[in-house]
Amino acid sequence: EAQVTQNPRYLITVTGKKLTVTCSQNMNHEYMSWYRQDPGLGLRQIYYSMNVEVTDKGDVPEGYKVSRKEKRNFPLILESPSPNQTSLYFCASSTRANTDTQYFGPGTRLTVL
Amino acid sequence: AQSVTQPDIHITVSEGASLELRCNYSYGATPYLFWYVQSPGQGLQLLLKYFSGDTLVQGIKGFEAEFKRSQSSFNLRKPSVHWSDAAEYFCAVGEAGNMLTFGGGTRLMVKP
Protein backbone atom coordinates (compact mmCIF):
# COMPACT_ATOMS: atom_id res chain seq x y z
CA GLU A 1 0.00 0.00 0.00
CA ALA A 2 1.31 3.44 -0.98
CA GLN A 3 1.71 5.48 2.14
CA VAL A 4 3.61 7.97 4.24
CA THR A 5 4.37 6.77 7.75
CA GLN A 6 5.39 8.82 10.76
CA ASN A 7 6.68 7.72 14.13
CA PRO A 8 5.87 8.22 16.86
CA ARG A 9 2.24 9.24 16.54
CA TYR A 10 2.17 10.78 19.99
CA LEU A 11 5.05 12.10 22.05
CA ILE A 12 5.28 13.94 25.36
CA THR A 13 8.71 15.22 26.25
CA VAL A 14 10.44 17.86 28.33
CA THR A 15 12.20 21.06 27.37
CA GLY A 16 15.69 20.52 26.01
CA LYS A 17 15.53 16.77 25.42
CA LYS A 18 16.52 16.07 21.82
CA LEU A 19 14.01 14.14 19.76
CA THR A 20 13.54 12.84 16.25
CA VAL A 21 10.30 12.25 14.40
CA THR A 22 10.73 9.83 11.54
CA CYS A 23 8.99 10.01 8.17
CA SER A 24 9.14 7.40 5.47
CA GLN A 25 7.40 7.03 2.10
CA ASN A 26 7.25 4.02 -0.19
CA MET A 27 6.21 5.80 -3.41
CA ASN A 28 9.68 6.77 -4.66
CA HIS A 29 8.75 10.42 -4.32
CA GLU A 30 11.40 13.07 -4.77
CA TYR A 31 9.74 15.91 -2.85
CA MET A 32 9.21 15.63 0.90
CA SER A 33 8.28 18.22 3.48
CA TRP A 34 7.36 18.83 7.09
CA TYR A 35 4.51 20.98 8.37
CA ARG A 36 3.24 22.00 11.73
CA GLN A 37 -0.45 22.59 12.31
CA ASP A 38 -1.63 25.02 14.95
CA PRO A 39 -5.23 26.18 15.55
CA GLY A 40 -6.12 29.17 13.39
CA LEU A 41 -2.79 29.11 11.60
CA GLY A 42 -3.38 26.23 9.24
CA LEU A 43 -0.33 24.29 8.13
CA ARG A 44 3.01 26.03 8.02
CA GLN A 45 5.90 24.51 6.16
CA ILE A 46 9.00 23.87 8.27
CA TYR A 47 11.44 22.37 5.77
CA TYR A 48 11.23 20.76 2.38
CA SER A 49 13.47 18.60 0.27
CA MET A 50 13.51 18.46 -3.51
CA ASN A 51 15.67 15.33 -3.55
CA VAL A 52 18.37 13.42 -1.68
CA GLU A 53 20.82 15.78 0.03
CA VAL A 54 18.77 18.82 -1.06
CA THR A 55 16.85 20.57 1.70
CA ASP A 56 15.57 24.10 2.16
CA LYS A 57 13.82 26.19 4.75
CA GLY A 58 10.10 26.75 4.73
CA ASP A 59 8.17 29.39 6.62
CA VAL A 60 9.04 28.34 10.18
CA PRO A 61 12.41 26.52 10.28
CA GLU A 62 13.72 27.92 13.58
CA GLY A 63 14.41 25.22 16.14
CA TYR A 64 14.23 22.36 13.64
CA LYS A 65 16.68 20.36 11.58
CA VAL A 66 16.17 17.85 8.80
CA SER A 67 18.26 15.51 6.73
CA ARG A 68 17.64 13.61 3.50
CA LYS A 69 20.24 10.89 3.20
CA GLU A 70 17.91 8.44 1.49
CA LYS A 71 15.07 9.12 -0.88
CA ARG A 72 12.43 7.41 1.25
CA ASN A 73 13.27 8.98 4.64
CA PHE A 74 13.04 12.55 5.88
CA PRO A 75 13.43 12.79 9.66
CA LEU A 76 12.60 15.93 11.62
CA ILE A 77 14.99 16.70 14.46
CA LEU A 78 14.36 18.97 17.42
CA GLU A 79 17.74 19.49 19.06
CA SER A 80 16.41 21.35 22.09
CA PRO A 81 12.61 21.33 22.12
CA SER A 82 10.73 24.18 23.73
CA PRO A 83 7.05 24.47 24.74
CA ASN A 84 6.27 26.66 21.69
CA GLN A 85 7.04 23.62 19.54
CA THR A 86 4.04 21.81 20.99
CA SER A 87 2.03 21.14 17.87
CA LEU A 88 0.68 18.60 15.40
CA TYR A 89 3.29 17.69 12.81
CA PHE A 90 2.69 16.29 9.35
CA CYS A 91 5.11 14.84 6.87
CA ALA A 92 4.15 14.86 3.20
CA SER A 93 5.62 13.65 -0.07
CA SER A 94 4.94 14.15 -3.75
CA THR A 95 6.28 12.93 -7.07
CA ARG A 96 8.53 15.82 -7.95
CA ALA A 97 7.64 19.11 -6.36
CA ASN A 98 5.38 21.25 -4.25
CA THR A 99 3.18 21.68 -7.33
CA ASP A 100 2.22 18.02 -7.36
CA THR A 101 -0.38 16.34 -5.19
CA GLN A 102 0.92 15.99 -1.65
CA TYR A 103 0.44 12.71 0.22
CA PHE A 104 0.29 13.27 3.94
CA GLY A 105 1.25 11.08 6.83
CA PRO A 106 -1.13 10.52 9.75
CA GLY A 107 0.47 13.19 11.94
CA THR A 108 2.54 13.29 15.13
CA ARG A 109 1.15 15.09 18.14
CA LEU A 110 4.04 16.51 20.14
CA THR A 111 3.77 18.03 23.59
CA VAL A 112 6.80 19.74 25.12
CA LEU A 113 6.51 20.38 28.85
CA ALA B 1 6.01 36.04 -0.72
CA GLN B 2 2.92 34.09 -1.50
CA SER B 3 0.05 34.05 0.98
CA VAL B 4 -3.35 32.43 1.27
CA THR B 5 -6.38 33.75 3.13
CA GLN B 6 -9.46 31.79 4.07
CA PRO B 7 -11.77 34.45 5.54
CA ASP B 8 -14.21 32.05 7.18
CA ILE B 9 -12.87 30.15 10.19
CA HIS B 10 -16.15 28.28 10.81
CA ILE B 11 -19.12 27.63 8.56
CA THR B 12 -22.30 25.75 9.43
CA VAL B 13 -24.68 24.57 6.74
CA SER B 14 -27.70 22.31 6.77
CA GLU B 15 -27.45 18.92 5.11
CA GLY B 16 -28.59 19.22 1.51
CA ALA B 17 -27.77 22.93 1.29
CA SER B 18 -25.17 24.35 -1.05
CA LEU B 19 -21.71 25.28 0.13
CA GLU B 20 -19.06 27.81 -0.87
CA LEU B 21 -15.73 28.13 0.93
CA ARG B 22 -13.68 31.17 0.10
CA CYS B 23 -9.98 31.32 -0.69
CA ASN B 24 -7.92 34.34 -1.73
CA TYR B 25 -4.25 34.22 -2.59
CA SER B 26 -1.48 36.66 -3.15
CA TYR B 27 1.01 35.70 -5.81
CA GLY B 28 2.43 37.46 -8.84
CA ALA B 29 2.12 34.82 -11.53
CA THR B 30 -0.54 32.18 -12.07
CA PRO B 31 -0.13 29.89 -9.10
CA TYR B 32 -0.71 26.22 -8.63
CA LEU B 33 -3.86 26.04 -6.46
CA PHE B 34 -5.14 23.23 -4.29
CA TRP B 35 -7.95 22.36 -1.92
CA TYR B 36 -7.31 19.72 0.74
CA VAL B 37 -9.70 18.23 3.29
CA GLN B 38 -8.83 17.02 6.76
CA SER B 39 -11.29 14.75 8.54
CA PRO B 40 -11.06 14.61 12.34
CA GLY B 41 -7.87 12.89 13.49
CA GLN B 42 -6.68 12.34 9.94
CA GLY B 43 -4.07 13.67 7.60
CA LEU B 44 -4.95 15.81 4.60
CA GLN B 45 -6.40 14.50 1.37
CA LEU B 46 -6.44 16.31 -1.97
CA LEU B 47 -9.89 17.36 -3.19
CA LEU B 48 -8.85 19.11 -6.40
CA LYS B 49 -6.15 21.22 -8.00
CA TYR B 50 -5.75 23.86 -10.68
CA PHE B 51 -2.66 24.44 -12.79
CA SER B 52 -3.92 25.89 -16.05
CA GLY B 53 -6.69 25.61 -18.62
CA ASP B 54 -10.38 25.47 -17.73
CA THR B 55 -10.93 27.68 -14.71
CA LEU B 56 -13.69 25.45 -13.33
CA VAL B 57 -12.12 22.36 -11.80
CA GLN B 58 -13.92 19.20 -10.73
CA GLY B 59 -12.71 17.20 -7.78
CA ILE B 60 -13.60 14.20 -5.71
CA LYS B 61 -16.71 13.82 -3.53
CA GLY B 62 -18.73 16.18 -5.76
CA PHE B 63 -16.63 19.28 -5.07
CA GLU B 64 -15.64 21.89 -7.64
CA ALA B 65 -13.64 25.10 -7.52
CA GLU B 66 -13.38 28.10 -9.79
CA PHE B 67 -10.20 30.07 -10.41
CA LYS B 68 -10.83 33.79 -10.88
CA ARG B 69 -7.65 35.61 -11.74
CA SER B 70 -9.21 39.07 -11.51
CA GLN B 71 -10.29 38.41 -7.93
CA SER B 72 -7.27 36.28 -6.93
CA SER B 73 -9.73 33.72 -5.69
CA PHE B 74 -10.16 29.96 -5.82
CA ASN B 75 -13.46 29.25 -4.06
CA LEU B 76 -14.62 25.73 -3.33
CA ARG B 77 -18.26 24.76 -3.95
CA LYS B 78 -20.58 21.84 -3.53
CA PRO B 79 -24.25 21.92 -4.60
CA SER B 80 -25.58 19.65 -1.85
CA VAL B 81 -23.68 18.99 1.37
CA HIS B 82 -23.73 15.60 3.10
CA TRP B 83 -23.15 15.02 6.81
CA SER B 84 -19.91 13.22 5.94
CA ASP B 85 -18.51 16.47 4.49
CA ALA B 86 -18.03 17.86 8.01
CA ALA B 87 -14.27 18.44 8.18
CA GLU B 88 -11.64 21.14 7.94
CA TYR B 89 -10.81 22.47 4.49
CA PHE B 90 -7.53 24.02 3.46
CA CYS B 91 -6.68 26.05 0.40
CA ALA B 92 -3.03 26.02 -0.69
CA VAL B 93 -0.87 27.75 -3.27
CA GLY B 94 2.42 26.58 -4.70
CA GLU B 95 5.14 28.35 -6.60
CA ALA B 96 7.11 26.12 -8.93
CA GLY B 97 10.23 24.75 -7.26
CA ASN B 98 9.50 26.33 -3.92
CA MET B 99 7.30 26.11 -0.86
CA LEU B 100 3.66 25.22 -0.52
CA THR B 101 1.63 27.74 1.48
CA PHE B 102 -1.63 26.87 3.20
CA GLY B 103 -4.46 29.04 4.38
CA GLY B 104 -5.65 28.97 7.97
CA GLY B 105 -8.44 26.53 7.20
CA THR B 106 -12.24 26.59 7.36
CA ARG B 107 -14.04 24.21 9.66
CA LEU B 108 -17.31 23.00 8.19
CA MET B 109 -20.12 21.76 10.38
CA VAL B 110 -23.21 20.15 8.89
CA LYS B 111 -26.59 20.37 10.64
CA PRO B 112 -28.98 17.45 10.17
Side-chain angles (χ1 to χ4, degrees):
Chain A
E1 179 189 355
Q3 60 182 349
V4 178
T5 57
Q6 295 178 226
N7 282 292
R9 295 289 313 279
Y10 301 91
L11 179 60
I12 300 174
T13 189
V14 295
T15 299
K17 186 177 181 181
K18 180 179 179 180
L19 66 92
T20 299
V21 184
T22 65
C23 172
S24 182
Q25 50 93 5
N26 62 0
M27 296 170 278
N28 201 38
H29 284 169
E30 292 184 1
Y31 185 91
M32 297 186 73
S33 56
W34 277 102
Y35 298 86
R36 60 178 289 173
Q37 183 178 18
D38 301 290
L41 298 177
L43 280 81
R44 292 177 293 168
Q45 197 167 30
I46 303 171
Y47 270 96
Y48 62 96
S49 170
M50 300 289 283
N51 213 324
V52 175
E53 302 291 1
V54 180
T55 63
D56 211 343
K57 297 176 180 178
D59 274 328
V60 288
E62 295 77 20
Y64 304 94
K65 285 177 57 177
V66 294
S67 68
R68 187 92 181 273
K69 293 184 171 57
E70 305 166 281
K71 198 171 189 177
R72 62 183 294 126
N73 296 324
F74 191 45
L76 179 69
I77 303 158
L78 284 72
E79 295 269 3
S80 183
S82 62
N84 64 12
Q85 293 178 297
T86 292
S87 187
L88 179 59
Y89 291 86
F90 287 100
C91 179
S93 72
S94 66
T95 308
R96 287 180 307 276
N98 59 319
T99 50
D100 297 318
T101 299
Q102 301 298 309
Y103 294 86
F104 284 83
T108 295
R109 186 164 293 281
L110 172 65
T111 301
V112 183
L113 302 175
Chain B
Q2 58 203 36
S3 66
V4 182
T5 302
Q6 294 179 244
D8 304 304
I9 298 174
H10 294 98
I11 282 185
T12 301
V13 299
S14 298
E15 190 168 17
S18 64
L19 171 70
E20 182 169 26
L21 303 182
R22 296 182 290 165
C23 173
N24 294 99
Y25 66 90
S26 171
Y27 181 60
T30 299
Y32 294 78
L33 296 161
F34 307 83
W35 275 101
Y36 285 86
V37 60
Q38 183 181 31
S39 298
Q42 304 293 316
L44 280 73
Q45 180 187 20
L46 180 73
L47 281 176
L48 49 79
K49 58 186 176 184
Y50 172 79
F51 291 168
S52 64
D54 193 345
T55 56
L56 186 61
V57 181
Q58 302 297 321
I60 62 171
K61 304 184 182 187
F63 284 91
E64 66 178 28
E66 186 172 12
F67 170 61
K68 292 186 177 180
R69 183 191 306 274
S70 62
Q71 299 176 20
S72 296
S73 69
F74 188 56
N75 294 348
L76 182 71
R77 300 195 294 248
K78 187 170 185 178
S80 178
V81 169
H82 188 261
W83 65 266
S84 61
D85 292 325
E88 190 155 19
Y89 293 80
F90 293 94
C91 182
V93 58
E95 174 185 359
N98 208 317
M99 301 186 301
L100 188 62
T101 302
F102 284 81
T106 298
R107 184 170 296 280
L108 172 66
M109 290 177 281
V110 180
K111 292 190 299 184

